[in-house]
Amino acid sequence: MHLSTSFLLLALLNSVRGATVLASAAKPTQFITLDIVNGPVAPDGFTRIGVLANGTFPGAPIVATKGQTLVVKVNNKLTDNTMRLSTSINFDGVFLDSDNIFNDGTAFVTTCPFGPGESYTYTLPLGNQTGSFWYHSQLGVQYSDGLRGTLIIYDPDDPLAHLYDIDDASTVLTLADWLHNTSTSALTSYLATQINPVPDSGLFNARGRYNGGPEVEYAAVSVSQGKRYRFRLINISVRSNFVVSIDNHTMTVIEADGIATEPHEVNILVIHAGQRYSFVTANQAVGNYWINAFINGGTRNPNLNSTLSRGILRYEGAPDEEPQTPMTAGPTGADAVLLNEWELVPLAPIPAPEPDFNLTFRTFMPEGVTAWQINNVSYIPPSEPTLVKALHGETEQMDFNKTENTFLFPANKTIQVEFIDPINEGHPFHLHGMNFWVIKSNGSDVIDTVNPIRRDVSITGNGTTILRFRTDKPGPWSLKSTLAVDNGKLTDPLVLYHFAVGLGSVIGAGLDKVEKAVHPTKAWEQLCPAYDALPPSEQ
C-alpha cells in the first residue's frame, strides 16, 4: 500500500510541475511527453527566443522511483531556423545497458538526431539507480538555448533518509549560465575569435540579474524551522562552475552524481557543469539568508556580475524581502570549509579494480587554432554514428578515422585514464553509460583504490586526474568534456563549446560483441535515413 501511494504522489507531482505523466500505481512505468518548442524566455529579464521542453526553462521536471522504467516521447516542434531545428536528448547519468545503448541519445555516437515535425521515444529502465540527474539536448550546443531539465529518481528505501524530513519538488535547486545570444551565433563568434562565449548572467532556480538589467526578483526557497531539508543541487550550465554557500549555514553532503555518500559537512562547495550534489541543511533562526551562487563564467562580458548570481533561503515567518546582509561570495580564508572531492566516501564501498589498460589523455589547444585536442587529435563526429558502424561489423581500429578519437578495448576489462591539462582549463569530463572511480582527484596527491568516490563527472586541471572504469557494457560510450562537434556542428554538454571544437572521445567497449548484444528498434533504425534526407537548414 505504501509503494502504491508513492507512485500516485509522484505522478501527481509530475503533472503539477509540467511533465505530462500517464503513470498509474499498478504500472511501474512512467510515460512522459516532452514537446520541444521555440518560445520566449527571460530568466534574467532579457527576453529572447529559446529552445524549451514543454515551453519552460528549465524544461519540465521528470520524477521517478527506483525500479521504474521511463518512457519519454519527445516531439520536435521547433520552427526557428536561427537555431538548430533537429534535436536529440540525453538523460545525463542514467546508465543504460548494452541492449538499450541506442537510447543514449548521443548524436553521431549512438544515434542520429531527428528533425522538425518528427518524434522519438526513449525507453529508460532505471534499475537500481537513484539520485539526482538531468536531461538536455545532445546536439551541438543546442542546450545553451534552454533545452535542459532535471530528473530525480527517488529511493523509497534511502539509507540516509533518517538525516532529513523533506525531499520533494521544492528542494530541487538548479544553477545555470545564460546567454542572451543564440547558441548558433555564439558558436560562430567562438570559431572566428577563439574567445570562449561568456554568459550574460548566472541563474539560481532560473532567475538572475545582469549589469544594467532589471531587478528580477531572486528565487526564494521556503523552509520551516525545525525541519531538515535534503536539497538536490544540479549544475545545468553550458560551461560555468559555481561557488555555493548559504549565509550562516553548513551543508552536509550526502550524494554526488547519484552516488550516496557518508555525511560530509562543509560550508562552501564548487560545483562544475553537469555535477550534482545533495546536501542537508536549514537549522537556523527564522529569517532570510543569501544563497550565494557565485558564478565563474569568465570576464569578457560586461553584462556578467558574479555577485548578482544568488537566491534566498526564507524561513516560514520571515518577511517577504531580500536579506539585509551584504552580498558576498561566501566564507573565505579560515572560515571556509570547502568540499574536496577526494574527501567524499561512498556509502556502499566498491574497491577500484586493478587496470588492464592504461591511457593518458593530454588536453591541449594549439595556438592560433580554435580546436581542442586529446592526444593531438580534435574529435570530429562521423557522418554515420559509431554504433551504426559497429552494428555493420566495423569493429577494428582501422574502421575509424583518426578524428573520431575512438579507443577500442576488449569487453570486461578495467581501463585507467590519466588526464593531463597543461593549460589548466579545468574541464569537466563526463562518461556515458557508467560511473568511474576517481582514483586521484585534481588538486590532491591522494590516490585511493580502496573506496574512492564514484561519479560520472570529474574535473581536470593543473594537477593530474586519474579515473578507472569497466568495459562490461559492449558499445561505444562517449567520454568527453561536455561539448562536442558534429560535422561542423557541435554535440556535447559540460564545457560545451570546447566539446564543440574537438574535446571529446569515444570508448569502444567490446565492439565485436555489439551485433549480438544490441537489437535496436525500427524507429531508431529510421533516424539516420530521415536525418540524412533533411536539408542542411533543418539539421
Side-chain angles (χ1 to χ4, degrees), residues 301-355:
N301 189 337
N303 283 344
L304 184 64
N305 184 336
S306 296
T307 304
L308 298 179
S309 176
R310 59 187 53 251
I312 300 170
L313 185 67
R314 176 170 293 145
Y315 284 77
E316 184 178 346
D320 186 5
E321 63 183 21
E322 294 181 4
Q324 301 304 300
T325 51
M327 294 181 177
T328 71
T332 59
D335 294 329
V337 182
L338 185 67
L339 173 64
N340 295 312
E341 180 180 70
W342 58 90
E343 294 175 343
L344 292 172
V345 179
L347 196 63
I350 301 179
E354 288 300 306

Side-chain angles (χ1 to χ4, degrees), residues 63-139:
V63 181
T65 299
K66 181 174 69 174
Q68 285 188 312
T69 293
L70 284 176
V71 178
V72 185
K73 183 179 182 181
V74 180
N75 300 313
N76 184 346
K77 298 184 177 183
L78 296 174
T79 58
D80 190 328
N81 61 11
T82 66
M83 294 170 279
R84 296 295 290 273
L85 289 178
S86 289
T87 196
S88 186
I89 307 298
N90 174 247
F91 301 86
D92 223 67
V94 175
F95 302 148
L96 303 180
D97 290 330
S98 294
D99 61 359
N100 197 30
I101 188 174
F102 54 90
N103 277 318
D104 175 66
T106 305
F108 307 105
V109 177
T110 59
T111 192
C112 282
F114 52 101
E118 300 297 326
S119 301
Y120 183 76
T121 299
Y122 298 88
T123 300
L124 311 169
L126 301 178
N128 289 319
Q129 272 198 279
T130 62
S132 309
F133 306 93
W134 63 305
Y135 67 90
H136 54 80
S137 168
Q138 193 67 48
L139 178 62

